[in-house]
Amino acid sequence: MPHPAVAEAKPSQPLTLHGLSVEGVDRCVHCGLCLPYCPTFSELGTEMDSPRGRIMLIKSLAEGRIKLTDSAVAHLDLCLGCRACETVCPSGVPYGQLIEAARAEIERQRPGGLLRRWFRWVNFSLLLPNPSLLRLAAAGLRVYQASGLRYLVRASGVLRFLPEPLRHWEPLLPDLPSGPDRAPVPEVTPATGARRVRVGLLTGCIQQVAFGPQNQATARVLARNGAEVIAPRTQACCGALHAHAGEHETALALARGAIEVFEAAGVEHVIVNTSGCGAHMKAYGTLLADDPAWRGRAVRFAASVRDVSEFLAAEPLRGPLQEVRRTVTYHDPCHVAHGQKIRTQPRALLAQIPGLRVVELPEADWCCGSAGTYNLTQPEMATRLQERKIAHVRATRADAVVTANPGCIIQIVQGLRAKGSPIQVLHIVELLDQAYGNPSPRPSPQSGEGGVPPSPPGAEGGVLPSPPKGERAG
Ligand code: SF4
Ligand code: SF4
């Protein structure tokens, strides 16, 4: 039921939070059609943890009729930002924009204690925008992982005595690549055969240090499909994590930086292989709409951004492609499926790989609980959603899960490991790279513990029917 105070509201000024428009709240007609598609509502069944409840909260906050209490913050913080509600909303409520504005307001009004502010400053202002500092931090983490210290920490049980967030964070640390896998993507990768286009590649912030092999595979696959790939050394973070976490000013600065770098590279498209970054960069026009000096450049830049699957699926893959005899299932990252409305393209690419058997994953577009930094800040709900995803993955009997976002890879790998499952987790570009005859994907630590033999055709767990949306996994 709508909150009575909300129903009476008649604002005369444009509704904003932290200077960001939330006028989209008025499009909500409280129909509730989005409720069965919302993972947190599905898990908890409480109105205030549904899209409709959160929209009411945001509207009431913007109208100044409620204060940002602990309870209001908790309901907003528990939102994954997955935007599944946006996909199904018949009124076109721009939910992603609303929750970003609400988060910026939370950070303004409730920045938290000294330790939290320091921690956010280190991450959002120091590490993420500075690739060289990020590489230094990664070197320290690599020593922790390679020296055996991590093994000791895990085996000794000392994690149990760490404060709550750290206890959950340690197992989520990605295994950092070593040796040649650490090498950055070349600044220029020439097209194989006739060049049809010159593209830029976002190599990312965390992506650059933790997912180097996936970046390298992306450049190789693009090149095999006629793209000259430019990966500018001067690029930094795109600002997606900042925008999602309420760090609005830094997000603006990083967006301007990304536009400058790729404009200077003279590329026709900017290719992205991380879902949150792609969705965010496609929204630069909205982000910089109030800045007359940047508005036009931001709109042009946003129009040039392509998810890697979207770009590759625009034309048939160039051959020859080798057989890949295995059974895989595909998990849709939220910001690819809901944020960019890309669903058919990854499946169309998989269908072109000879020998590959693809089984549909029930609730394929249901959030896995990763959601940017959500699995770090909301470990309980993240674990519930992770377990739900893993149960569906295992039921398919596939020997690998293919997806298109590093955050999902980390979350699903960790969930599978916790169950002792040998199922591999791969970025779609790794599988395509393999079809082009490259040794990748080797059984990398990032990808789980290695595959199992492919299921024979017709084996139990083939193509499973999807349960109705909103129903709890069995
Ligand atoms: S589907 Fe759209 S209009 Fe209906 S309650 Fe959800 S957000 Fe509001
Ligand atoms: S973004 Fe996701 S978690 Fe948040 S309200 Fe919408 S469906 Fe629910």
Side-chain angles (χ1 to χ4, degrees), residues 38-40 51 54 79-85 95:
C38 172
T40 57
R54 292 185 178 118
C79 171
L80 294 144
C82 67
R83 296 169 65 180
C85 48
Y95 185 83

Side-chain angles (χ1 to χ4, degrees), residues 61-229:
L61 281 170
E63 291 172 353
R65 287 184 294 100
I66 63 165
K67 297 245 178 293
L68 208 38
T69 58
D70 286 351
S71 160
V73 172
H75 291 304
L76 293 169
D77 277 352
L78 201 61
C79 171
L80 294 144
C82 67
R83 296 169 65 180
C85 48
E86 225 180 89
T87 295
V88 295
C89 175
S91 303
V93 174
Y95 185 83
Q97 215 178 307
L98 305 184
I99 193 69
E100 280 190 9
R103 293 212 159 123
E105 183 65 12
I106 291 172
E107 285 314 309
R108 186 182 72 80
Q109 284 193 40
R110 307 277 303 260
L114 204 59
L115 188 62
R116 181 180 184 273
R117 275 181 280 159
W118 176 82
F119 186 76
R120 284 178 67 93
W121 177 79
V122 166
N123 283 296
F124 290 117
S125 302
L126 199 63
L127 291 179
L128 290 175
N130 295 298
S132 48
L133 287 180
L134 203 57
R135 278 195 289 275
L136 204 61
L141 185 56
R142 206 171 277 117
V143 170
Y144 168 71
Q145 294 180 339
S147 66
L149 190 57
R150 176 174 66 176
Y151 173 79
L152 277 179
V153 165
R154 291 182 178 178
S156 66
V158 74
L159 281 174
R160 275 178 302 164
F161 302 106
L162 293 179
E164 179 67 17
L166 289 178
R167 202 184 320 157
H168 286 281
W169 292 7
E170 202 284 338
L172 287 168
L173 288 174
D175 294 327
L176 298 186
S178 54
D181 286 344
R182 283 170 59 186
V185 175
E187 200 156 15
V188 179
T189 305
T192 308
R195 187 184 94 167
R196 72 173 163 102
V197 66
R198 178 180 161 98
V199 301
L201 176 63
L202 180 83
T203 49
C205 48
I206 297 170
Q207 171 85 347
Q208 205 167 115
V209 293
F211 287 88
Q214 285 85 350
N215 276 348
Q216 291 168 18
T218 304
R220 282 194 295 265
V221 172
L222 288 169
R224 287 297 293 261
N225 283 278
E228 180 187 16
V229 184

Side-chain angles (χ1 to χ4, degrees), residues 24-37 47 50-53 55-56 85-86 88-95 98:
V25 290
D26 285 328
R27 288 191 221 156
C28 179
V29 294
H30 317 295
C31 64
L33 285 175
C34 53
L35 268 59
Y37 297 85
E47 174 72 13
S50 78
R52 184 172 62 187
I55 288 166
M56 283 184 230
C85 48
E86 225 180 89
V88 295
C89 175
S91 303
V93 174
Y95 185 83
L98 305 184

Side-chain angles (χ1 to χ4, degrees), residues 360-383:
E360 200 55 42
L361 178 67
E363 294 189 349
D365 64 353
W366 201 256
C367 183
C368 64
S370 168
T373 54
Y374 190 91
N375 52 1
L376 305 179
T377 57
Q378 302 287 339
E380 195 187 323
M381 179 57 75
T383 303

